[in-house]
Amino acid sequence: MAQLKRSIMAVLPLVLMLIVSLTPSEATDFLVGGKENSWQVPSSPSEFNRWAQKNRFKVGDYLVWKEDAKSDWVLEVTRQGYETCNTSNPVRSYSDGSTRVKLDRSGPFFFISGVKGHCEKGQKLEVVVLSEDHHRKSEAPSPAPANSTAPTPAHSGGNALLRDDVMIVVGLFIKGFMLGHLF
Ligand SMILES: *[C@@H]1O[C@H](CO)[C@@H](O)[C@H](O)[C@H]1NC(C)=O
Ligand SMILES: *[C@@H]1O[C@H](CO)[C@@H](O)[C@H](O)[C@H]1NC(C)=O
């Protein structure tokens, strides 16, 4: 019986870990540049993108700008607007010093300073939001048939599939543990 108890204690953390990995993660607020008042001409040109590359953005997260001085503002632009630093036709413009932008889809988002000349000096940001498929693949690799004609699962189905996978693993563990083969 003591043996059984010890086995349960050994398995419990694993099961809890699996359950935690199942719960949908909360939306995250990302403070652009990592701190307040950082939306300025950076000391090195790719500073904002280096910050972005250190983070993992997912659909539903927010980008946040907190600036005391309202001398600068944030323009969301197209890729072309980003590359040419064109401030004349933004997708959206934010100028109240406290800006919160929802990353409501996967793919790239582009932001530049609204102040003429600042974007050219590196005050620009590209954020790539991971798709749910990417998210799923990176956490639960499942070998796909080499030449499957089966339709790919819809985005919303991703979590349900992951759940099934994990339930099977948990089931196997419990079965193995009951049979005394595992421990
Ligand atoms: C900036 O964008 C506007 C509108 O899309 C366009 O008319 C203008 O020619 C562009 N300017 C530059 C310098 O690319
Ligand atoms: C995949 O399957 C299709 C239809 O069955 C076939 O025509 C095609 O040659 C296959 N491709 C490969 C890479 O096996």
Side-chain angles (χ1 to χ4, degrees), residues 57-154:
F57 305 95
K58 59 185 192 312
V59 176
D61 287 345
Y62 290 85
L63 287 181
V64 177
W65 282 259
K66 283 206 177 93
E67 311 298 319
D68 288 340
K70 296 178 184 169
S71 54
D72 211 317
W73 61 99
V74 180
L75 304 181
E76 183 179 345
V77 294
T78 60
R79 180 187 294 277
Q80 203 193 3
Y82 172 86
E83 277 163 4
T84 61
C85 286
N86 190 334
T87 56
S88 67
N89 195 20
V91 178
R92 276 153 100 188
S93 173
Y94 307 90
S95 56
D96 59 1
S98 180
T99 299
R100 197 160 177 257
V101 177
K102 186 172 189 180
L103 302 170
D104 55 1
R105 56 164 172 81
S106 60
F109 286 77
F110 302 96
F111 302 92
I112 63 174
S113 165
V115 178
K116 271 223 165 341
H118 281 193
C119 171
E120 287 85 346
K121 290 178 190 150
Q123 194 179 344
K124 60 201 300 205
L125 168 68
E126 176 181 1
V127 158
V128 179
V129 179
L130 299 176
S131 70
E132 282 178 42
D133 282 349
H134 186 114
H135 197 62
R136 173 170 144 71
K137 257 182 225 135
S138 63
E139 284 182 1
S142 62
N147 190 11
S148 166
T149 51
T152 51

